[in-house]
Amino acid sequence: MIKDYRRCVSCRKLAPRHEFWRVIRSHPSHTVSIELGNTLVQGRSAYLCPTASCLQIAQKKNRLGRSLKAKVDEGIYQQLGLLKLIDN
């Protein structure tokens, strides 16, 4: 894989890291959160395209939960939906 490129858990698109939303299961607390800005949080990460279709697929098929090996609350999906509205 090319350096600093990541893959979307929904559509499998390969793109530079900054083009995705990063959802993190932080270590050691195992809480799931969204990375906002350039803060570096250590833990397991999943990347998602900032599109409504990828968000719907990720939610419907539990792609974030499987990738992070943790339960993703409905609030995370709602926050991502709000981020999508703000970006447009």
Side-chain angles (χ1 to χ4, degrees), residues 15-75:
R17 180 180 179 172
H18 67 274
E19 292 184 15
F20 294 115
W21 287 326
R22 180 179 180 219
V23 182
I24 309 145
R25 184 194 74 191
S26 59
H27 180 76
S29 67
H30 297 288
T31 57
V32 176
S33 61
I34 302 168
E35 179 186 70
L36 299 173
N38 291 330
T39 60
L40 181 62
V41 178
Q42 291 185 352
R44 181 175 285 273
S45 299
Y47 293 87
L48 189 65
C49 292
T51 62
S53 61
C54 282
L55 181 58
Q56 288 173 348
I57 292 169
Q59 187 172 11
K60 182 178 178 182
K61 296 184 177 184
N62 191 32
R63 296 264 171 97
L64 287 174
R66 280 190 281 153
S67 182
L68 295 173
K69 299 180 182 179
K71 183 177 181 340
V72 178
D73 292 332
E74 186 66 29

